[in-house]
Amino acid sequence: MEHRTIKAYKWVFIWIGLAGLCNLAVWYFMGTEKALQFLAGYLIEFSLSMDNLFVFLTIFMSFGIAEHAQHRVLGWGIIGAIILRLIFIMLGVQIVSRFEWVLYLFGVLLIINGIKMFRKTEKVEDPHDSPIIKTVSRVLPVSPDFEGEKFFTKIDGKKMVTPLFAILILVECSDIIFAIDSVPAVFSVSTDPLIVYLSNIFAILGLRQLYFVLEHLHERFSYVKYGVATILTFTGIKLGIGVFGWHIAIVPSILFIFVVLTLSIVISIVLSGRKSEKGSLRK
């Protein structure tokens, strides 16, 4: 295993450990119920983020982005995600506090998106055809070539953005789209803005290192999307059944999410291992 992958694994576990310490702090200062809500929210956000990372991987591979440039885009992308999630969460909490029925609408949307994820084929749209990339090219002067890690450049005295900046915008917009699923999903376990934001942020902060794990091992996690789809559908059901006065307790919710995520990873590793063995035997 490459040194970079080992280092990425180490930092993934460090961020998970820091999330665990935050969970302990929530338990100490806010009580058991809030700590369980944080844990459930973190697991939901972490699992949904894995699907987000596969999209980032597709974007970077499609444009042939060098690894050092990927680091820079992901770094700024995470900063942008932290700010945008705060805005999303504060708006969401305000809306939910005034119109409780919106939670049930969120539930229906999550169920629909979860089912769509199950039915989604392996065909991935070419990021080059993205309306976002085309819009950036129309609105801003974009240089014809990449210039290392630079987002801005000068050509013949004219200030221009590089294609890497356009890709950063695409990554940020992709995160906004995923936030439409992930933030309402966390609302299924808590509507406390602090808990929702903390669980989101700790999951996001580990994304950069998790990406570089998936970059080298993405073929071995090809079935994780079905686990993510199951969790997304489950959170939608958990929100939606509230309209009938039914409620799924927080502890069973945590156990369900953890088991589904773990099983999807294990099944992916086992099945991908069998595929590679069959491929080697054919050769």
Side-chain angles (χ1 to χ4, degrees):
M1 189 180 291
E2 293 184 13
H3 173 71
R4 286 196 302 270
T5 308
I6 295 173
K7 186 178 179 181
Y9 266 116
K10 181 182 74 174
W11 276 102
V12 167
F13 286 118
I14 287 173
W15 281 114
I16 291 174
L18 289 173
L21 289 175
C22 181
N23 203 4
L24 285 174
V26 171
W27 169 77
Y28 183 80
F29 290 106
M30 303 178 71
T32 302
E33 183 66 21
K34 294 293 184 182
L36 290 172
Q37 290 176 7
F38 173 89
L39 178 58
Y42 176 77
L43 288 173
I44 290 169
E45 182 63 30
F46 187 85
S47 59
L48 297 183
S49 294
M50 292 185 74
D51 192 56
N52 200 353
L53 290 178
F54 286 121
V55 173
F56 294 167
L57 181 62
T58 301
I59 292 170
F60 291 147
M61 289 178 66
S62 175
F63 287 94
I65 308 299
E67 186 168 318
H68 58 88
Q70 293 179 25
H71 276 277
R72 185 150 197 241
V73 171
L74 285 172
W76 281 103
I78 288 169
I79 292 170
I82 290 171
I83 297 168
L84 289 170
R85 292 298 172 93
L86 177 61
I87 296 170
F88 262 71
I89 290 166
M90 296 311 295
L91 285 175
V93 168
Q94 289 297 318
I95 292 170
V96 168
S97 64
R98 295 182 183 182
F99 310 101
E100 190 177 348
W101 56 267
V102 172
L103 281 176
Y104 311 134
L105 178 60
F106 284 162
V108 173
L109 292 175
L110 291 174
I111 292 170
I112 292 171
N113 289 340
I115 293 170
K116 282 182 179 178
M117 196 178 291
F118 272 116
R119 298 174 64 183
K120 191 186 294 182
T121 62
E122 292 298 321
K123 186 179 178 181
V124 179
E125 293 183 4
D126 187 351
H128 291 81
D129 297 328
S130 167
I132 296 165
I133 292 291
K134 291 178 180 178
T135 301
V136 172
S137 299
R138 290 193 195 103
V139 174
L140 299 172
V142 182
S143 64
D145 301 308
F146 288 94
E147 296 196 22
E149 299 179 11
K150 291 181 179 180
F151 290 137
F152 304 96
T153 187
K154 262 188 179 183
I155 297 179
D156 298 329
K158 183 181 179 182
K159 290 184 179 180
M160 306 183 78
V161 300
T162 67
L164 193 65
F165 181 82
I167 291 167
L168 173 62
I169 298 298
L170 179 58
V171 166
E172 293 287 10
C173 290
S174 299
D175 184 71
I176 291 172
I177 293 169
F178 277 93
I180 293 171
D181 278 341
S182 65
V183 172
V186 179
F187 281 152
S188 70
V189 294
S190 178
T191 53
D192 183 324
L194 180 61
I195 297 298
V196 175
Y197 188 63
L198 284 176
S199 60
N200 264 258
I201 294 310
F202 272 95
I204 289 170
L205 287 174
L207 283 185
R208 181 172 170 176
Q209 300 304 327
L210 183 60
Y211 170 83
F212 290 105
V213 171
L214 294 179
E215 180 189 21
H216 297 283
L217 301 173
H218 66 278
E219 292 181 358
R220 306 206 68 177
F221 290 91
S222 55
Y223 294 93
V224 170
K225 71 173 185 178
Y226 297 111
V228 173
T230 302
I231 292 169
L232 199 60
T233 306
F234 170 75
T235 56
I237 293 171
K238 183 174 167 59
L239 279 174
I241 62 176
V243 72
F244 304 107
W246 300 339
H247 177 67
I248 301 174
I250 192 76
V251 173
S253 299
I254 291 171
L255 290 174
F256 179 85
I257 294 164
F258 179 78
V259 169
V260 168
L261 181 59
T262 303
L263 280 177
S264 66
I265 292 172
V266 170
I267 291 170
S268 292
I269 292 171
V270 170
L271 292 182
S272 62
R274 287 179 182 176
K275 282 184 181 179
S276 61
E277 285 177 8
K278 286 180 182 179
S280 60
L281 286 173
R282 287 174 185 172
K283 290 180 182 178

